[in-house]
Amino acid sequence: MSLLSDLINLDLSDSTEKIIAEYIWIGGSGLDMRSKARTLPGPVTDPSQLPKWNYDGSSTGQAPGKDSEVIIYPQAIFKDPFRRGNNILVICDAYTPAGEPIPTNKRHAAAKVFTHPDVVSEVPWYGIEQEYTLLQKDVKWPLGWPIGGYPGPQGPYYCGIGADKAWGRDIVDAHYKACLYAGINISGINGEVMPGQWEFQVGPSVGISAGDELWAARYILERITEIAGVVLSFDPKPIQGDWNGAGAHTNYRKGKDTLRIEGRHQTWTLMLLHRWWQRLLCCGNHEDCCGDDGDGMVWYFEFVMFSLNV
């Protein structure tokens, strides 16, 4: 095993200028992620320098068997925290060979919106709070919970510390550092209300980069849980009953809404709780929107004004 570990962590920069690029895309469910790697002749600093690639869409639920080729277009680059060096992670979206976005490619339409001059001039900032649950691999039951049983009621777990309150912190911290290494604008983490449930925040990021960064952060998290032998779940209601759900609250701020009044920096923030944006980020969120332990009503919009001393 030590030899295997040595090879996994092998530094290629001493022997070759070639790098490894991990191409990442969203699968047929709209939530699953797929990836594969290719060798490139040297370091890359911009997606436009990368070649397009292809994959078998019939194996991901995105194309029929008789016409299965799907082309992936590189859209964003991040440093690879697993291979390190000059190796990269590449966020892609998917098209037919004729250049048409496939039905599960929601990024294409979003890019049209975010590149419109009127939208660009607004400088749309997003901050996304991604909640998730860590599950025991063989039983799909939350990490730290007795198999088939339940921990004590909710209350001590939110932002809690201690071996009886915070389960999976090593995974959470590994993910935090890996995202910072990758160049993702991750702004924080915390334990959530349900034990075994955590949250990370991406942003503030401008425009479509918020989505690219969130998907890259999700990919890195799932790779880390793969290594740890733990299952990652974005299920909005992983445990039925009196247990909190999980969502992806999205905070929005328009650059033009920034005002200076009597020495205070006031900003209007639009919190879109389970809104169309989450349609791009998460599926099946109705369970988390409703009930005593949900976060809000479907299509509920809350406007919040906050002030910061400057």
Side-chain angles (χ1 to χ4, degrees):
M1 290 300 293
S2 61
L3 177 59
L4 179 60
S5 179
D6 289 344
L7 290 172
I8 290 173
N9 295 310
L10 189 64
D11 183 0
L12 299 177
S13 61
D14 293 336
S15 57
T16 181
E17 293 184 356
K18 294 179 180 180
I19 68 162
I20 301 171
E22 189 79 26
Y23 279 46
I24 303 162
W25 68 95
I26 299 169
S29 72
L31 189 59
D32 63 308
M33 303 193 75
R34 309 293 179 116
S35 75
K36 62 178 183 175
R38 67 181 299 166
T39 304
L40 299 175
V44 174
T45 57
D46 189 89
S48 63
Q49 300 172 324
L50 290 166
K52 298 172 185 176
W53 207 6
N54 65 336
Y55 67 90
D56 174 15
S58 68
S59 297
T60 63
Q62 293 171 294
K66 62 182 180 181
D67 186 18
S68 64
E69 186 177 36
V70 177
I71 312 300
I72 41 180
Y73 292 23
Q75 300 293 356
I77 291 176
F78 300 92
K79 293 172 63 178
D80 187 339
F82 303 102
R83 296 186 177 105
R84 287 170 280 190
N86 290 320
N87 303 302
I88 54 175
L89 305 178
V90 184
I91 297 295
C92 304
D93 58 356
Y95 297 80
T96 67
E100 295 296 322
I102 65 173
T104 54
N105 180 356
K106 309 303 181 184
R107 190 188 187 281
H108 177 77
K112 286 185 176 180
V113 173
F114 284 117
T115 55
H116 190 282
D118 291 345
V119 177
V120 172
S121 68
E122 296 290 354
V123 192
W125 281 16
Y126 291 94
I128 304 171
E129 307 168 29
Q130 176 67 73
E131 296 170 333
Y132 61 93
T133 308
L134 300 174
L135 305 177
Q136 301 171 58
K137 184 177 68 171
D138 296 327
V139 293
K140 302 296 177 65
W141 201 238
L143 198 65
W145 290 32
I147 295 176
Y150 298 87
Q154 296 179 151
Y157 310 109
Y158 173 71
C159 297
I161 61 171
D164 59 343
K165 303 179 190 72
W167 299 310
R169 191 183 296 276
D170 53 346
I171 292 171
V172 174
D173 279 350
H175 175 246
Y176 197 172
K177 291 181 177 180
C179 285
L180 288 172
Y181 176 92
I184 294 167
N185 191 21
I186 185 170
S187 50
I189 56 95
N190 61 267
E192 266 301 335
V193 177
M194 189 183 81
Q197 184 186 77
W198 295 82
E199 173 183 300
F200 66 88
Q201 300 94 35
V202 168
S205 300
V206 178
I208 202 167
S209 63
D212 292 337
E213 290 181 37
L214 182 69
W215 280 105
R218 284 177 167 182
Y219 173 83
I220 291 171
L221 180 56
E222 189 144 20
R223 284 284 306 275
I224 291 172
T225 56
E226 173 189 320
I227 294 167
V230 172
V231 174
L232 171 64
S233 173
F234 293 116
D235 191 319
K237 190 68 174 177
I239 304 297
Q240 298 301 310
D242 193 21
W243 300 100
N244 260 47
H249 301 148
T250 302
N251 306 279
Y252 170 78
R253 195 212 79 175
K254 228 173 31 165
K256 283 189 175 179
D257 282 341
T258 300
L259 302 172
R260 284 186 184 275
I261 303 176
E262 296 179 355
R264 297 177 82 76
H265 189 213
Q266 298 188 331
T267 303
W268 281 99
T269 298
L270 171 62
M271 295 183 66
L272 292 80
L273 306 183
H274 310 288
R275 77 313 306 157
W276 71 269
W277 176 261
Q278 192 165 10
R279 174 71 174 163
L280 300 179
L281 305 178
C282 187
C283 299
N285 58 27
H286 178 78
E287 290 292 337
D288 183 44
C289 297
C290 306
D292 293 338
D293 293 294
D295 290 312
M297 295 172 60
V298 178
W299 307 115
Y300 174 74
F301 293 81
E302 178 183 0
F303 289 84
V304 179
M305 187 174 78
F306 65 90
S307 296
L308 299 172
N309 286 322
V310 293

